[in-house]
Amino acid sequence: MDVLSGGIPIVYRTVIRPALFRLPPENAQRLAESALRIGPLWRLARPALAGFNARLRTEFAGLVVPSPIGAAAGLDKDCKFLGSLLDLGFGFATGGTVTLGPRPGNPRPRLARQTRSEALVNAMGFPGAGLESASERLSKLTRRAGRLFVSISGTIEDEIIQCHRRLEPLCSLVEINISSPNTGGLRAFHEPGRLRALTQSLASGKRRPLFVKLPPWERGRESRAIGLSLAETAVDAGADGVIVANTRPVEYVGMALGRGGMSGLPLYDDTLRMVAETRAALGKRGAIVACGGVFTASQLWRLLAVGASAAQLYTALVYRGPGLPGSINRGLVRLMEKADCKSIVDIEGAPPS
Ligand SMILES: Cc1cc2nc3c(=O)[nH]c(=O)nc-3n(C[C@H](O)[C@H](O)[C@H](O)COP(=O)(O)O)c2cc1C
């Protein structure tokens, strides 16, 4: 077992990743997705890979998950391999972002690697097969529905409401994505009045926790006030929590659009700052799921220490491979043992590891 869990990161770094990175990013992505769709392979590997441990089990927004590290939206846009992501050791996995109709996404190139800094820039613009296809796939996964999140979006309220109505019964938590920098129209929901009305209408009859995924905000009083006003608006309007945050908007000549969203390691310090600021603004209200630049167990520890209940990742999986969730799980258990923390909630307020 240990040979597999220890060997996979080495094989990924020395053999698989160099081969994948020779391909254009979207082709490499498609190949990785094909591998993740071989469900029985990952089910077999799960005992060696996943690294689950009773100490990692935690609860937020009324959900119990076996680990506080989850797979972020965008990894499995069409909900084709969420079960495999759980088998890798993610405590929960997010499907989507699902939109009402099928969408081709933005023109290519729309995905680039920045290998030295372990970052990606994307301007995908929600390519996907749409609501019908996602709901069909999710309805076959209900056995694992306790750990499946779904991200939904749209450019008008009615699209989002229809996605919510259809997908809520098929998952355990719904994220509203108002923050992709690559999709025209989403900025409308950065207007607090519009976000409040949308959140209230979704929250009024909700049967599953509802989270809002926020856009990132920069250092400085003015930006902070804008970012935090969205967090407070969402929670006051009935959301159970917020995801902090989406990719960082950047100008990028390598994208057909000339701009995109940066993800990966360079985001981490900002994620830590934004989570701490959000916790200070919300007090005890609402759960915070951190997202942006999480690669290691000690990074996860610090996010939990400043008030996150859990975290999600995407880019680290591209750079570190399928052994990553398990190695974060095992690393977090070691840190907890060292600090004598019996459960994840004990980490809040703990000193940095
Ligand atoms: C190629 C790509 C596609 C993404 N698609 C989505 C998406 O559809 N919906 C969404 O909410 N976030 C999407 N994201 C953002 C991630 O969920 C996450 O917020 C961001 O990448 C920061 O986390 P990371 O540094 O761990 O990657 C995407 C990110 C990447 C790299």
Side-chain angles (χ1 to χ4, degrees):
M1 297 281 186
D2 282 349
V3 175
L4 190 55
S5 63
I8 280 190
I10 298 169
V11 173
Y12 185 78
R13 202 176 58 241
T14 56
V15 181
I16 300 174
R17 194 178 96 169
L20 282 175
F21 278 23
R22 277 171 188 263
L23 301 171
E26 280 204 56
N27 297 12
Q29 193 126 342
R30 263 199 303 279
L31 207 59
E33 286 173 11
S34 306
L36 283 164
R37 289 184 71 179
I38 310 172
L41 174 71
W42 305 104
R43 214 165 303 137
L44 267 178
R46 176 190 153 110
L49 272 189
F52 289 133
N53 178 297
R55 277 191 206 233
L56 298 173
R57 213 174 137 81
T58 189
E59 185 184 337
F60 61 93
L63 293 179
V64 178
V65 291
S67 158
I69 190 71
L75 255 170
D76 187 3
K77 288 184 184 291
D78 286 323
C79 307
K80 290 179 175 168
F81 48 85
L82 293 170
S84 302
L85 293 174
L86 298 178
D87 287 331
L88 299 187
F90 283 117
F92 52 96
T94 312
T97 293
V98 177
T99 54
L100 184 59
R103 288 172 57 100
N106 289 326
R108 295 170 202 221
R110 54 188 185 178
L111 180 61
R113 303 181 191 101
Q114 297 196 318
T115 307
R116 264 203 225 140
S117 53
E118 297 193 275
L120 296 172
V121 177
N122 93 85
M124 302 299 285
F126 298 160
L131 176 62
E132 247 351 282
S133 141
S135 68
E136 209 170 286
R137 291 213 175 89
L138 281 168
S139 61
K140 294 183 188 140
L141 286 173
T142 43
R143 193 173 54 83
R144 306 177 88 162
R147 301 160 59 197
L148 298 180
F149 296 7
V150 176
S151 164
I152 58 174
S153 196
T155 49
I156 55 168
E157 284 79 353
D158 185 55
E159 291 174 5
I160 301 178
I161 290 167
Q162 285 194 54
C163 289
H164 186 258
R165 194 173 299 140
R166 199 60 191 285
L167 297 179
E168 192 196 41
L170 304 175
C171 67
S172 45
L173 182 150
V174 180
E175 291 181 17
I176 323 172
N177 178 7
I178 58 156
S179 47
S180 164
N182 311 308
T183 309
L186 292 196
R187 284 194 67 83
F189 296 108
H190 296 190
E191 200 276 297
R194 195 123 177 236
L195 177 62
R196 178 174 301 108
L198 173 67
T199 310
Q200 277 170 342
S201 74
L202 295 174
S204 63
K206 76 178 165 62
R207 292 160 59 191
R208 305 271 191 274
L210 179 72
F211 276 56
V212 174
K213 187 165 178 181
L214 301 175
W217 58 92
E218 292 170 3
R219 246 168 235 286
R221 200 142 39 115
E222 218 169 292
S223 311
R224 183 170 69 229
I226 294 170
L228 293 177
S229 83
L230 292 180
E232 292 184 286
T233 299
V235 171
D236 289 346
D240 298 272
V242 285
I243 295 159
V244 179
N246 215 312
T247 50
R248 176 193 295 164
V250 288
E251 303 287 312
Y252 196 79
V253 284
M255 300 280 104
L257 283 191
R259 63 191 158 75
M262 180 184 283
S263 60
L265 207 51
L267 264 54
Y268 178 74
D269 289 348
D270 273 341
T271 307
L272 187 63
R273 169 184 58 79
M274 291 186 289
V275 168
E277 290 172 353
T278 308
R279 181 44 73 215
L282 293 179
K284 296 243 170 272
R285 292 175 302 148
I288 301 170
V289 174
C291 188
V294 181
F295 278 60
T296 66
S298 54
Q299 287 178 324
L300 173 58
W301 172 283
R302 276 176 272 155
L303 291 165
L304 298 169
V306 298
S309 297
Q312 303 175 327
L313 63 82
Y314 181 146
T315 306
L317 195 66
V318 174
Y319 283 97
R320 305 286 170 91
L324 181 75
S327 79
I328 291 181
N329 284 338
R330 282 184 283 273
L332 191 61
V333 170
R334 280 195 296 276
L335 293 175
M336 292 173 77
E337 284 168 353
K338 213 167 97 192
D340 203 20
C341 281
K342 300 268 177 303
S343 71
I344 295 294
V345 287
D346 296 338
I347 300 174
E348 184 164 357
S353 68

